[in-house]
Amino acid sequence: MPLLQRTLPYPHWEYSAPGNSDAPGSPDLLRLVPERGGLLTGWRCNGRELLYLDAERFADPALSVRGGMPVLFPICGNLPGDQLPLPEGSFTLRQHGFARDLPWQLRALPQEAGVELELRDSPATLAAFPFPFCLRLQLRLEPAALAITAVLENSGRRPLPFSFGLHPYFNVSALPAPDGGNAAVHLEGLPERCFNHQVMAEADTAATLAPLAAGVDLLARPEGPVRLVDPAAGLVLELQPFAPFDLAVVWTDPPRPMVCLEPWTGPRGALVSGDRRLEVAVGASCTLQSRYVLRPL
């Protein structure tokens, strides 16, 4: 069976797709912990473990997760004062929303196509975000790729505003020294200008990325795929965005040997500012897609 429950190295569910691996005896697989925010904790592709996970921190549920692929919903980043102003009052909605903290339901997709995680509104979500919803996240293993589809349904009686993002942590051989040169870990495909979250201002992308090993946090609006290149590991991981899920955030947390390359639908504060705020009509749904592809160096 493609979806199995495992106890080591931590309790999780494992989905494997033997037909999609180029490494005999090492099938491509996903590791998932649905009760911890619908978290994808592992993605093995062509024999490589692509996702970083701080296992020691993960073992303490009281600590925030550092690793895997947390889900950001119904906001990405934070709101001013953590407050969502609505006609009926102001609601406290903390950074990145609540989806990454709540238990999800997990099931295998038909015909061994992948897995689906599901989160529905509850009294806890309605207290922070008074909009009934059903959010489904589908993960499909493809040859040298992970295809991601998110479907948000509005089951309420008024339009549902939201932002959506993913926060995957990718293993790298090492974060580069400032003078690392062409052989260092780097990003390709980003536009010349970005928004630097550290100073909350527009900035030059190359200059913002230069201190990658000291910690960076930026949002960019690329026109095509963005690539994370790790020459020492022989790794090129390509994020293929599809509108409106087509913003790219780059974040590092030194000294962890990882880089987050994240797809977002909107910038921080979008539900208040209106900048790329998405909305689902009553009784309707919104489908978002993204894809990660492992490329040869």
Side-chain angles (χ1 to χ4, degrees):
M1 296 179 63
L3 189 58
L4 299 173
Q5 196 165 19
R6 304 289 193 190
T7 58
L8 296 174
Y10 49 83
H12 68 281
W13 290 88
E14 181 181 287
Y15 172 81
S16 61
N20 285 347
S21 177
D22 291 335
S26 181
D28 292 359
L29 60 80
L30 303 174
R31 299 185 184 93
L32 304 114
V33 185
E35 65 272 18
R36 296 284 296 275
L39 187 67
L40 175 67
T41 58
W43 171 30
R44 186 169 71 201
C45 182
N46 291 354
R48 292 178 178 268
E49 295 288 348
L50 296 178
L51 288 180
Y52 169 90
L53 180 67
D54 184 331
E56 183 176 349
R57 187 179 179 95
F58 180 74
D60 186 349
L63 298 177
S64 60
V65 172
R66 286 291 185 266
M69 190 178 74
V71 179
L72 314 182
F73 173 84
I75 58 173
C76 300
N78 58 350
L79 299 174
D82 290 336
Q83 296 299 300
L84 175 64
L86 294 172
E88 65 268 39
S90 185
F91 293 78
T92 299
L93 191 56
R94 303 199 182 279
Q95 178 161 298
H96 294 325
F98 46 69
R100 60 182 180 153
D101 299 319
L102 297 175
W104 293 53
Q105 299 298 314
L106 173 67
R107 65 180 69 91
L109 289 170
Q111 300 177 344
E112 300 187 2
V115 296
E116 181 177 77
L117 293 148
E118 180 181 284
L119 179 68
R120 292 180 177 269
D121 62 90
S122 67
T125 72
L126 293 171
F129 183 68
F131 297 91
F133 68 89
C134 176
L135 175 60
R136 296 185 178 92
L137 182 65
Q138 299 173 348
L139 306 174
R140 292 177 170 86
L141 286 173
E142 298 178 350
L146 175 63
I148 302 166
T149 302
V151 181
L152 177 63
E153 299 176 1
N154 181 358
S155 52
R157 297 182 179 179
R158 59 176 170 172
L160 188 163
F162 77 101
S163 291
F164 183 84
L166 297 171
H167 193 349
Y169 293 65
F170 293 110
N171 285 313
V172 295
S173 55
L175 290 175
D179 58 350
N182 294 333
V185 172
H186 61 279
L187 282 297
E188 298 177 350
L190 292 170
E192 292 184 359
R193 303 293 291 177
C194 69
F195 190 84
N196 186 342
H197 284 148
Q198 293 181 328
V199 297
M200 296 303 291
E202 187 177 334
D204 177 80
T205 301
T208 305
L209 282 173
L212 200 66
V216 302
D217 186 359
L218 68 86
L219 178 143
R221 306 185 184 220
E223 296 183 356
V226 180
R227 291 167 292 280
L228 172 61
V229 183
D230 185 353
L235 170 72
V236 179
L237 187 65
E238 181 176 272
L239 168 61
Q240 297 180 345
F242 302 93
F245 196 20
D246 56 355
L247 300 186
V249 168
V250 179
W251 183 75
T252 59
D253 185 27
R256 302 177 189 277
M258 63 82 195
V259 174
C260 290
L261 176 57
E262 314 172 27
W264 288 19
T265 62
R268 292 172 180 256
L271 267 63
V272 174
S273 70
D275 183 9
R276 290 180 58 110
R277 177 177 58 209
L278 298 180
E279 192 172 271
V280 185
V282 175
S285 65
C286 176
T287 299
L288 306 169
Q289 293 183 309
S290 187
R291 193 165 177 260
Y292 288 96
V293 181
L294 191 61
R295 299 287 192 194
L297 185 64

